[in-house]
Each structure stands twice: as C-alpha cells, then as structure tokens.
Amino acid sequence: MILAYDEETKQWSLAWLDNRNPHDFRPLIGKFDNGIGVFNQVVETPDGKPLHMRFTWDEITENTARWQQAFSFDGGNNWDTNWIMEFTRS
C-alpha cells in the first residue's frame, strides 16, 4: 500500500497493489475527518459494470487501528463490508 498527501487538495491518495492486477496504480482518494479516514474509487468489473470501493480507517489510537473494505454495485447507495482488519502494536 502506498499513501500520499496532496497539500493543495488536502486529500490523501491510497494505492493498493496486488498480483491480480499489478499494473493498476489508480489510487483511492479521501481524507481524514474527526479521526476517520474514508477513501473511494470506482473501478470496472470484468463484465464492464462499475464497482464502487470504499476503504475506511478508524479506531486509530497510539497502538491500534482498524481498516475496512466495502463494495457497492448500486452507485454507493448500499455497501457490503467484506473485509475488516484490526491492527495492534505490541
């Protein structure tokens, strides 16, 4: 994962790299408000339909953080959270 901040737009870009599509470097764009980061992107599914993706970072403390991934196939009206990771520093 690559995270970069744009001073001009006050937004973060988050690029997620994986082996399924190693040449897709389009980032999710978002910002942090009140300790919660929300990043969005729209990609195309293999059958040509738009897939809205949302990454949320929350419960951020000195020693913890939680990341959630959600998908929407109806333009963001309904979201399916399909992955949650909780991080703890020991």
Side-chain angles (χ1 to χ4, degrees), residues 18-85:
D18 65 40
N19 291 335
R20 289 174 291 172
N21 198 354
H23 303 293
D24 184 357
F25 299 109
R26 292 174 295 164
L28 288 90
I29 306 294
K31 62 182 178 175
F32 285 87
D33 279 325
N34 299 317
I36 299 173
V38 179
F39 303 85
N40 293 284
Q41 180 189 57
V42 180
V43 298
E44 195 171 282
T45 64
D47 61 354
K49 296 181 182 173
L51 167 63
H52 291 247
M53 295 190 331
R54 179 180 68 197
F55 288 3
T56 304
W57 284 92
D58 63 1
E59 298 187 14
I60 301 167
T61 70
E62 184 177 322
N63 295 309
T64 63
R66 179 173 67 174
W67 172 81
Q68 300 179 66
Q69 173 181 275
F71 291 161
S72 173
F73 290 97
D74 65 1
N77 293 316
N78 296 289
W79 291 94
D80 177 28
T81 300
N82 59 5
W83 194 356
I84 299 173
M85 290 192 295

